[in-house]
Every structure is written in C-alpha cells, then in structure tokens.
Amino acid sequence: MEYNFREIEKKWQAQWVADKTYHTTEDPNKQKFYVLNMFPYPSGAGLHVGHPLGYIASDIYARFKRLEGYNVLNPMGYDAYGLPAEQYAIQTGQHPEVTTVANIARYRQQLDNIGFSFDWDREVRTCDPKYYHWTQWAFQKMFQSFFCNSCQKAQPIEKLIAHFEEKGTEGLNVAESEHLEFTAEEWKAMNDVEKQKTLMNYRIAYLGETMVNWCPGLGTVLANDEVVNGVSERGGYPVVQKKMQQWCLRTSAYSQRLLDGLETIQWSDSIKETQKNWIGRSEGTEMQFKVAGQDFDFTIFTTRADTIFGVTFMVLAPESELVEKLTTAEQKAAVDEYLAYVKKRTELDRMANHSVTGVFSGSYAVNPFTGENIPIWISEYVLAGYGTGAIMAVPAHDSRDYAFAKHFNLPIIPLIEGADVSEESFDAKEGIVQNSPVAGKQTLDGFSLNGLTVKEAIAATKKFVTEKGLGRVKVNYRLRDAIFSRQRYWGEPFPVYYKDGMPQMVPEDCLPLELPEIETYKPTETGEPPLGRAKMWAWDVEKKQVVDKALVDNKTVFPLELNTMPGFAGSSAYYLRYMDPHDDNCLVSKEADNYWQNVDLYVGGCEHATGHLIYSRFWNKFLFDLGVSCKEEPFQKLVNQGMIQGRSNFVYRINSDDHSKAPVFVSAGLKKDYDVTPIHVDVNIVSADVLDIDAFKAWRPEYADAEFILEDGKYICGWAVEKMSKSMFNVVNPDMIVEKYGADTLRLYEMFLGPVEASKPWDTNGIDGCFRFLKKFWNLYYENRTDNFLPSADAEASADSMKTLHKLIKKVTDDIENFSYNTSISAFMIAVSEFAQQKCRNKQVLEQLVVLIAPFAPHIAEELWHVLGNETTVCDAQWPKFEPKYLVESEVQLTISFNGKARFQKKFPADATNDAIQQAVLSDEQSQKYLDGKTVVKVIVVPKKIVNVVIK
C-alpha cells in the first residue's frame, strides 16, 4: 500500500477534532505538565515556514510528556492587538477587528494543517472583551496598590492612606516617583484633589510625566523595540523624544525580586544575563552638589563615591529637568540646538552609538569635598532613567567620561598609583589611592583617601558622606517604569474616567469597558488620540454606563480616558487565563491555578528578553502578591527557538545601454563573463536552483520577451542566505510544503535542520530526504506497493531488532529531554534502515516504534497505530521503557597482535576470561604461522580491545 499522506493527514485531523483528542481538564490523579508557546500576532501575510519552528518543538515535547503519563496543557491563542491592523484600518477605513478576525482564521487553518495538539477549547484573543476584562481588572488593582519596600510586596493603597493619617511620611519605606515629606496634619489639610495627586506618587499604576518615543507620522508613542535607527519599524516614520503625561507601571519597584527570581528558574545563562543587565543593580551613594552662585543643589548617584577627587566635570541627561534650570542665557542657543538633535535619537541609539557629543550648560557645580567649581555639561550618553539623570564624571577611570574629556579638552586626574591614562582610562577596581586630594589642596574636615586600597576608600567615603549629611548610601536599578499608554485605537481601553482632572476607576462590576466604534482611526484634528473621535465615550457614575460625551458635566457624567493600553498588556498574564479561560467571575480560579501552577516549558524568541519576559514576570509577581497566582515565577523553563532564515534565489540581468532591446538573463555559472545586475526571484518558482522560465515571465510581465542564456539547457539561479522576507521573495508558505510533502514531513524537516535554539537556513531542496524516510518507515509495515500488512504477533523479535529498538528508545528519550530533535531524527533514520535489513516483522517491536515517532510525525503514527489493531489514540499510548539488558553485547571482537603488529581479528564471548581468550588465540589456526618455531614469552589481554602475543 502506498503512503498516501494527504488522505491520512486529512482523516486524522478531522478525527482528532471529532474525538476532542486534545481537550484537557484538571485531573488530580495525574501529574500536570504545562507547555506554552509565545502566542502569535496574526498578520495578514500568514505563517511562513519559520513561524512553526517553536510550535513544532513544543508540540513534540507536549506529546512526549502525554505519552509519559502526564496531564498536558498545550493551549494556543492570539496576540490580537497591534499597530499593523490599525495602520491598515487608517489606509482602508476597514475596522481593525475585521482584518484581525480574517487573519486569525487563516492562521488557524495553517496551524491545523500542521497537526498541533493544541486544546483549542482554551483559545484566547486579546481583543476579546471577555479576555481584556481581566487586563482592565489587573490594571485597576495596580492603581489601588503601592509597593512596600520593607515587606517587598504590593499592598492596598488604603494601608498607605492610614499611615498618612497617623504619621504622614514618617517611617515610610515605599516605592515612590519622588521623595516627599509631610506630616499627618498636612495630609489631613489637603483637599481631595491634592490627596489624589499625592497618592499618584506611590501607586503601582500611576500617571506620570515621562520621556517617550513619539512618532508624529503614526500619531502614537512607540516602545523601544518598535524603533530602529531613529524611525518607526512600521512605516519608517521619524521618531523623536517627547515629554508626555502617560500611564506608567511601577516595574522598577520589583527590580530586586526580578533579579532574585532568576536564580529559581531554568532559563539560559544568556537570557538571564540580559535581564540582569537590563535591571542593572548598582550599590552606591547619592550625593548632593550645590550649584555655584545659586541657592540650589541637585543629587547624583555614583557607585564609586571614593572617586570624588577625580571629578573634573558633571554631565546631565538631555531630558533632565535640571537642563532648563542650569542653562545660562549665553549658552541657551547652543543647548537648544543640541536638544533638538537628541530628540531624534532613541535610548537604544544612544546606548549603542558611542560617538562623543555634548554642550556646556554655562553653570558650575561645587565639589562638596573640595569646594572647587566643576563645569556642568549636557550629553546624550547620560540617560534620564538611570540614577538621577546626572553624573559626576571621572575621566581617568571611566571610558565614556575619558572619551568626553579628550574630545572637549577637559582635565583628567588619575586616582590610582601607577595608573597610565595617557591613551585610555584605567580600571580603578584595585590599587592604592592617590591624588585624593591632590597634594596641597584643602578638603572638608581634612578628609583624605591617599594610601588606602580601593576597597578601603569606598567604605571610608560612604561612611563620611553619611555622617556629614552629604548624601546617603543607596541601591539603584537601571530598570525603568513601563510606559503603559498608547495613542492608538486598536488596544485595550483604560477603565478610567476623569473627575476634576484626576483619574477615577470605572466600578469593577461594570467591566469590561468595551472599545467604542469610531469612523476614522487617525488622531483627531486637535491632536487627541483616535478615541477622541468616539461619540459614546463618557461615563455616567449614577447610571454606571457609557453615554454620549456631549452629556459631560461636573456632576454625574465625566470624560473617559482616550489612550489605550500597549500590546504587552494582553500578553502579560495570558498563561493564567489559559488555565481557566471560561470563568466569568475571576481571571483564574483557585482550583485551576493550584493545579496548573505555572508554565513548565515556555518556548519563544530571545528577542523578548527585555520586553515581554520582563513585563510578564512583573505582572505575575504582582498577582502573586494579591494571592491570585500561586507561583511567583510564571515560566519555570524557557527554550528560545532560533530563526529559520530564507534561502534567496537570484537571476542575473546583463546590463545594457540599449534599452530598446529585450533584456537578457545569464545563468549563474556563466555570469562571470558579463556585467550583470542580480535580481531577487520568487523561490516558489525555483526548484533545486533551476528557474521555471515561463513562471518567471508570468510573475514579472515586464520580462515576458526576455532572453535567457542557459547552462546544459537549464537556467541556474544564484542563491544566498538572508532573512526570510516578502521583499526578498524568499518566503516559503508551509501550506505549499504540506500540500506537496505532508505535515509530518514538514515537522520532521524543520527539526532536522539543526538544533532548536540555532538559526539555520531553509532549503526546500533538502526536504525530499525526510519525505523518503517516511515512505521507508511506512514500508516497514506494508510490503511495497501491496496491501500486504507485515507486522505479526507470531514473528520473533531477533536480538538485533531488540538492540536496535532499545538503542533508539534511549536515544530519543534523552534527545527529547534535551531538545536535540535533529539527532533524534537521524537516529530514527538509522534504526529504520536497520529494521529493514533485519526484515523485522515483530508486531510488538514495530508497535513501540510507532509510539516513539508519534511526537514527531503524529499523523502516520496514528494511522499505523490503528492498523496495528489499537482502538484508542496513539496519544494515550505508553512511552516505551528502555531496558539496558538489550544493549549488553554477547560477543566482543578483539584485534590479535604478535609483537605489537595487528594480524587478524577474532570474536569471543563477552564474559570470556583472560585465560580462555589466551588459550583460544594460541590454538587458532591463523596464529600458527606466527608461532611456528617461536617461543611465547607472554600474552597480554587488554579487555574489549586487543590481545598481544609476545614471542621471540
């Protein structure tokens, strides 16, 4: 019987749906295992062959764990809010939901065609009001909470209010936007608006003035990862830095817990290191510097207060509020020009590009230790989000300070004995301190560090700063609070209305606050976000419903928030909703959460290390504080899949000045003799680098009359490995592969390309090998081109077959646990060849072989499983158990040498003694010609390797 993959795959995909094979419920009698993929954004382009890579890897693992007896949760959904749908809506006038739903339908069909074991009954879509109900609910809980530094957890805002009522800010140790001090009496004297403004300084979800990536062309704020080289990733519009009032989440409050949590999870060292650097913990000192000639001071943070005597200039971040205060009239024009330049640069640009730029403010700071005036500069290499946005520059011992000092000819004072700073800065982590202070200079209370080690100097300076009231010892973090507002339509609405200019929460029992209908998706003519166009967008507090905004007054009807939430809002807790997707009363029930707990295996791209993976960990920690999530870390194990790159093809047009002639294309092997221009060609009209010329002419009608110079009657294309992209015409649609070769072949080939975590090029030319393997696998069960079914319960399993089987069981089991799927597939290929040579017909052996391949190629496995006489799905079979006894060798082959020269090989029983081996060698006929007339001095037996007979 032929291997009819189309019929088999269509049959079993339908049967799995009918039988609800992948439907999952909580089962206290089974150990749980939760597998999750980073869910996709459904773009109009659909899936290309690179997208399913991680899904296939996780699906293999999910199927494997189910076969091991686990109760496996393997859900899928859609990250359905996004800028592309909104931009398409602006261009066409079509509601973003229409295109999103259409794209989801296409994704679903493509995913179903590949045979994933997703429980689609648990599907979530972030644009579904039943889903974003709980995103809005979580936001409200953050608004109603503050973070206590002492207990390191979120607390109800009412506890903070009670503290203010009793003690004001005395004894307060909480996360805050700025340090405030007031008494209980002063708090009580505040009116309601003043109290609300004060509480905003402490809320975990708060309104704040912050610098953002503003894209006028798109009319919205962009996240750092949406900006590339100063322009928007979507559309290429210019992006500038702008200060705006935005909703923010106090992610910085969780910095230490985010760091500590990394020690409890199984993530790669590289991802952990990336997050550690992004969070950026620094232990140091905050110090106050007075401004010369003004009754004003400002604070800087430094990890090396001991280098205070080497400070030769100060630097402000361009966004710092101090810039306006400290820029003198003489320097204003130069400063304004510089600020205009910096506005066009994102933080990522500034961090990556180390070119030296800056401008003098015109003001000077006073060194608190020496009383010397220090010039205050402004430069983009200082970021407002780190520390206080102002630094003391020590060029002798910091590379960026050094480059700046050299560029602007500023002094450089070495503070370590023997430090050579003539060409570069000197690492000052060890050594004996000097020039602290410079000889002959007076310092506060005669304080000096000269002669101390660096470690001693750091401790002495921290003590002095604290005792003299010059500052305080502090732990600082680089992690910034997350900007949570977007000036878009297609996103989760904030459940917020405004009374007296202050935000109020829509009552919890009125959630979800649904996205209103609008006719145009652009910002309003007055610059408001698109929701400013909504007619029905005001909140009636008495009726507890949305009403016409024309009814807004100061009594019962108030304006609703016009911004929407960013994309990461919906993806920050979706893994919890999968546990209990149909519960209308809570995000996740206690029962479901306690059963599934957290994700055991999370698969997705490493590009989310500083975005989604930070936000979701923060979000889950907050929900853990609330008692909603029973686990503090959402994803126990993380595997980052690599990227499948495209294999582009090119045709070569011969350059000509005579445009009246038909264009001529020369085959790749002949192009060296011509002046040519390479042109990308659609890889789907190329097979094994041979161009389908008729298809090319149909695809590019302007070349319908072109001539082609061939090689051996064929046009051979050139090729290169590039990013898979529509613009390079190297996108391969998985539907085409499934149609031509089948889903099981696609699954095997994507895993066979290389390690899951590695990037590798797609080459359709190589897929045929996996297809041939599956046909060879099929032929173990059916005699070629006949209906003769080969496996038999009566056929004996040979020792060689049992050895092949158990060698495969061990290899595949170990490889799946280590995500070494490519080597598993190689092992399958070897085993199938061995079984074929052995003419293995034993039903039990071949049945276990079906189970082994089921995670990789589920359709062919399901078909053969039932043909073998089983009535239940192969998904519920038992994973074969490895038995070492079948790999124990019954014989060993040893090399027989005489005086160290190998002469022949001989087999012996594996348990043969040295005496038995010696006797057998000496009596062997082949030994006689070497022993004739010689005396045996001794026989050396090296176990499992060699027998050496010493003669003379």
Side-chain angles (χ1 to χ4, degrees):
M1 180 182 291
E2 288 290 327
Y3 169 46
N4 188 337
F5 64 85
R6 292 188 182 91
E7 182 180 300
I8 290 169
E9 292 178 359
K10 185 177 180 181
K11 167 187 173 182
W12 287 111
Q13 286 170 8
Q15 194 64 49
W16 290 331
V17 172
D19 294 344
K20 287 188 170 291
T21 300
Y22 303 126
H23 180 69
T24 310
T25 57
E26 291 72 41
D27 184 350
N29 297 316
K30 279 189 173 183
Q31 188 175 349
K32 70 95 183 184
F33 198 91
Y34 187 174
V35 177
L36 184 63
N37 297 278
M38 293 183 185
F39 62 174
Y41 171 74
S43 73
L47 294 172
H48 64 60
V49 292
H51 293 127
L53 177 69
Y55 306 157
I56 296 171
S58 64
D59 193 61
I60 290 171
Y61 202 85
R63 290 175 178 275
F64 166 67
K65 298 307 284 188
R66 178 168 174 171
L67 289 166
E68 283 198 319
Y70 288 85
N71 188 25
V72 177
L73 176 59
N74 184 23
M76 178 52 79
Y78 302 97
D79 193 4
Y81 280 126
L83 194 53
E86 181 148 346
Q87 287 304 111
Y88 188 76
I90 291 172
Q91 295 162 11
T92 64
Q94 190 174 53
H95 197 289
E97 185 175 20
V98 174
T99 53
T100 299
V101 169
N103 293 343
I104 285 175
R106 184 180 181 194
Y107 265 58
R108 173 64 187 272
Q109 184 59 55
Q110 289 183 295
L111 292 169
D112 285 347
N113 286 345
I114 300 172
F116 293 113
S117 59
F118 297 135
D119 180 359
W120 285 109
D121 291 337
R122 293 174 181 263
E123 176 192 311
V124 298
R125 302 179 182 186
T126 56
C127 64
D128 182 349
K130 289 184 177 180
Y131 176 80
Y132 67 67
H133 174 154
W134 301 107
T135 309
Q136 293 177 339
W137 170 85
F139 168 81
Q140 288 191 342
K141 293 299 181 185
M142 292 180 190
F143 180 80
Q144 293 156 0
S145 302
F146 72 100
F147 189 84
C148 174
N149 288 333
S150 298
C151 65
Q152 278 290 296
K153 64 182 294 187
Q155 299 280 288
I157 200 74
E158 290 76 17
K159 289 186 70 172
L160 185 63
I161 294 171
H163 185 100
F164 289 160
E165 292 279 349
E166 184 180 351
K167 300 179 180 178
T169 56
E170 182 185 349
L172 199 62
N173 183 21
V174 298
E176 56 194 9
S177 298
E178 62 176 309
H179 185 64
L180 301 178
E181 292 185 3
F182 53 82
T183 64
E185 289 70 28
E186 289 171 326
W187 166 259
K188 293 173 184 175
M190 296 180 190
N191 60 36
D192 184 63
V193 171
E194 289 170 335
K195 286 181 177 179
Q196 288 300 316
K197 287 181 177 178
T198 300
L199 289 172
M200 198 67 71
N201 190 60
Y202 305 98
R203 295 184 187 274
I204 290 179
Y206 66 94
L207 276 175
E209 289 276 339
T210 183
M211 296 300 298
V212 297
N213 299 318
W214 173 249
C215 181
L218 296 175
T220 187
V221 167
L222 298 177
N224 280 336
D225 57 2
E226 295 173 314
V227 183
V228 180
N229 297 325
V231 298
S232 62
E233 185 179 39
R234 182 76 181 178
Y237 297 102
V239 175
V240 298
Q241 298 293 293
K242 181 178 180 181
K243 184 167 281 191
M244 294 177 65
Q245 187 178 66
Q246 304 279 292
W247 280 105
C248 301
L249 303 183
R250 206 175 296 279
T251 49
S252 60
Y254 283 81
S255 293
Q256 190 58 51
R257 281 173 61 184
L258 287 168
L259 281 174
D260 294 342
L262 292 173
E263 305 305 317
T264 68
I265 52 181
Q266 297 167 271
W267 292 16
S268 69
D269 290 340
S270 60
I271 291 289
K272 286 185 178 183
E273 195 61 28
T274 298
Q275 290 214 346
K276 287 177 182 178
N277 291 336
W278 193 257
I279 297 166
R281 188 182 194 276
S282 302
E283 296 186 19
T285 310
E286 278 190 347
M287 291 196 293
Q288 276 74 46
F289 281 73
K290 293 187 177 297
V291 178
Q294 297 187 42
D295 185 18
F296 174 72
D297 60 22
F298 63 94
T299 303
I300 63 95
F301 174 82
T302 177
T303 58
R304 293 293 303 277
D306 59 301
T307 62
I308 184 69
F309 295 105
V311 176
T312 59
F313 58 100
M314 312 290 287
V315 188
L316 304 179
E319 305 84 4
S320 171
E321 294 179 355
L322 295 171
V323 170
E324 184 177 352
K325 295 179 180 179
L326 299 181
T327 298
T328 63
E330 294 80 8
Q331 287 296 110
K332 189 175 188 314
V335 170
D336 288 347
E337 181 182 353
Y338 184 70
L339 295 181
Y341 154 77
V342 175
K343 281 181 69 175
K344 300 174 183 177
R345 312 251 299 155
T346 68
E347 278 196 9
L348 287 178
D349 293 334
R350 288 160 57 182
M351 292 167 67
N353 185 350
H354 289 187
S355 59
V356 179
T357 68
V359 64
F360 179 45
S361 70
S363 294
Y364 293 82
V366 179
N367 187 317
F369 283 61
T370 66
E372 293 177 312
N373 286 351
I374 310 167
I376 302 173
W377 287 71
I378 303 159
S379 178
E380 61 177 321
Y381 82 89
V382 176
L383 303 176
Y386 180 67
T388 63
I391 69 162
M392 61 181 213
V394 186
H397 306 294
D398 181 275
S399 60
R400 298 199 71 175
D401 293 348
Y402 184 89
F404 194 91
K406 281 288 189 182
H407 186 82
F408 291 105
N409 198 29
L410 298 167
I412 299 173
I413 303 172
L415 299 176
I416 302 295
E417 291 181 4
D420 180 5
V421 295
S422 58
E423 299 295 333
E424 61 183 357
S425 60
F426 180 84
D427 186 341
K429 293 179 181 177
E430 294 181 355
I432 303 301
V433 176
Q434 67 170 8
N435 290 333
S436 297
V438 174
K441 290 197 175 181
Q442 296 298 312
T443 65
L444 182 64
D445 290 349
F447 182 74
S448 174
L449 299 172
N450 289 332
L452 300 179
T453 65
V454 168
K455 185 176 181 180
E456 291 169 341
I458 292 172
T461 311
K462 284 182 177 179
K463 184 172 183 288
F464 186 79
V465 165
T466 304
E467 289 176 348
K468 298 299 179 183
L470 301 176
R472 58 177 179 154
V473 175
K474 185 183 179 185
V475 174
N476 201 39
Y477 300 91
R478 186 179 292 113
L479 183 65
R480 297 178 62 179
D481 290 345
I483 298 170
F484 203 60
S485 294
R486 296 293 185 269
Q487 293 65 44
R488 302 174 187 167
Y489 168 73
W490 192 231
E492 294 96 330
F494 282 96
V496 174
Y497 65 91
Y498 286 86
K499 180 180 179 182
D500 298 325
M502 297 304 298
Q504 311 292 327
M505 295 296 115
V506 169
E508 189 176 313
D509 60 0
C510 296
L511 299 180
L513 179 66
E514 296 193 26
L515 201 60
E517 295 290 332
I518 60 176
E519 294 182 359
T520 304
Y521 306 99
K522 296 179 179 179
T524 68
E525 287 71 17
T526 57
E528 290 179 326
L531 282 182
R533 298 181 180 274
K535 180 181 178 183
M536 299 294 289
W537 202 238
W539 185 255
D540 189 319
V541 296
E542 288 188 350
K543 296 180 179 178
K544 298 176 71 173
Q545 65 183 32
V546 176
V547 296
D548 193 320
K549 67 182 181 183
L551 300 176
V552 166
D553 57 31
N554 293 321
K555 297 175 183 176
T556 65
V557 180
F558 304 96
L560 285 159
E561 172 67 66
L562 300 182
N563 290 314
T564 54
M565 298 184 194
F568 74 80
S571 62
S572 288
Y574 73 117
Y575 53 92
L576 287 171
R577 191 59 179 167
Y578 279 138
M579 297 178 186
D580 195 14
H582 307 298
D583 196 322
D584 294 331
N585 299 313
C586 55
L587 168 64
V588 57
S589 68
K590 285 287 185 186
E591 294 76 17
D593 183 53
N594 286 332
Y595 181 76
W596 296 113
Q597 298 192 7
N598 62 356
V599 177
D600 296 285
L601 172 66
Y602 197 34
V603 179
C606 60
E607 67 273 14
H608 299 290
T610 58
H612 161 65
L613 290 172
I614 287 279
Y615 299 139
S616 56
R617 292 182 64 220
F618 151 76
W619 202 286
N620 192 76
K621 287 177 186 296
F622 173 75
L623 294 176
F624 176 78
D625 291 349
L626 263 61
V628 173
S629 176
C630 66
K631 287 283 190 176
E632 185 167 356
E633 285 294 336
F635 315 119
Q636 189 58 37
K637 182 171 183 175
L638 174 69
V639 171
N640 297 122
Q641 88 274 11
M643 179 187 297
I644 288 186
Q645 299 161 311
R647 190 180 189 274
S648 303
N649 281 116
F650 302 91
V651 293
Y652 299 95
R653 187 180 62 200
I654 298 175
N655 296 325
S656 173
D657 294 331
D658 188 351
H659 300 294
S660 63
K661 293 182 178 180
V664 180
F665 292 89
V666 61
S667 190
L670 306 174
K671 75 178 190 301
K672 63 180 180 299
D673 298 324
Y674 299 89
D675 177 23
V676 299
T677 298
I679 298 173
H680 279 90
V681 61
D682 187 345
V683 296
N684 296 294
I685 58 175
V686 178
S687 177
D689 294 330
V690 176
L691 177 69
D692 183 333
I693 294 175
D694 291 337
F696 176 73
K697 290 181 175 182
W699 178 61
R700 296 289 295 267
E702 68 270 33
Y703 296 131
D705 61 345
E707 298 176 11
F708 292 82
I709 301 174
L710 309 178
E711 295 178 70
D712 300 325
K714 302 175 182 177
Y715 187 93
I716 308 299
C717 294
W719 64 274
V721 174
E722 301 177 297
K723 180 180 178 181
M724 198 169 279
S725 164
K726 288 187 295 183
S727 65
M728 296 174 185
F729 305 108
N730 62 0
V731 172
V732 179
N733 189 327
D735 298 351
M736 298 174 65
I737 304 298
V738 170
E739 172 61 27
K740 187 173 181 181
Y741 297 102
D744 285 342
T745 298
L746 173 67
R747 291 169 64 102
L748 285 176
Y749 185 58
E750 293 223 0
M751 297 298 97
F752 190 52
L753 282 170
V756 172
E757 67 277 8
S759 293
K760 47 260 179 187
W762 175 270
D763 184 359
T764 306
N765 299 335
I767 200 169
D768 195 54
C770 286
F771 184 55
R772 289 195 306 271
F773 160 71
L774 283 177
K775 289 194 289 186
K776 192 171 182 179
F777 187 95
W778 180 264
N779 289 337
L780 290 178
Y781 299 83
Y782 282 99
E783 190 171 11
N784 195 22
R785 301 184 183 278
T786 74
D787 292 340
N788 183 25
F789 189 62
L790 299 174
S792 168
D794 298 328
E796 185 178 349
S798 69
D800 283 345
S801 291
M802 295 304 290
K803 179 180 178 181
T804 296
L805 175 65
H806 283 271
K807 185 168 61 175
L808 184 64
I809 293 171
K810 184 178 191 307
K811 176 66 174 169
V812 174
T813 304
D814 292 345
D815 281 354
I816 290 179
E817 288 289 7
N818 294 314
F819 292 88
S820 299
Y821 299 149
N822 56 321
T823 54
S824 284
I825 296 167
S826 296
F828 274 120
M829 292 176 173
I830 294 169
V832 167
S833 293
E834 290 179 358
F835 283 133
Q837 291 169 4
Q838 296 157 6
K839 297 189 180 332
C840 178
R841 301 290 184 263
N842 180 266
K843 180 181 178 182
Q844 185 181 11
V845 169
L846 293 177
E847 194 169 71
Q848 290 187 76
L849 182 62
V850 166
V851 178
L852 286 172
I853 207 168
F856 298 84
H859 304 88
I860 193 174
E862 193 77 82
E863 177 70 13
L864 292 172
W865 181 251
H866 282 77
V867 172
L868 284 161
N870 297 287
E871 296 182 357
T872 58
T873 173
V874 71
C875 301
D876 290 331
Q878 185 174 359
W879 186 255
K881 185 178 179 181
F882 167 64
E883 295 186 42
K885 67 181 181 181
Y886 291 111
L887 300 191
V888 175
E889 299 288 351
S890 59
E891 289 184 321
V892 292
Q893 183 166 281
L894 304 181
T895 299
I896 312 303
S897 298
F898 293 85
N899 287 347
K901 291 184 178 181
R903 297 301 185 181
F904 62 91
Q905 291 185 322
K906 183 175 176 64
K907 289 185 177 180
F908 301 89
D911 58 353
T913 65
N914 285 359
D915 288 343
I917 292 172
Q918 177 177 328
Q919 184 177 351
V921 169
L922 295 178
S923 61
D924 193 286
E925 290 183 5
Q926 299 179 80
S927 299
Q928 299 314 308
K929 61 181 177 179
Y930 304 107
L931 296 174
D932 187 27
K934 303 289 194 301
T935 301
V936 177
V937 177
K938 60 180 174 179
V939 178
I940 302 169
V941 179
V942 180
K944 297 183 180 181
K945 290 186 178 182
I946 193 171
V947 178
N948 185 34
V949 182
V950 181
I951 56 179
K952 68 176 182 178

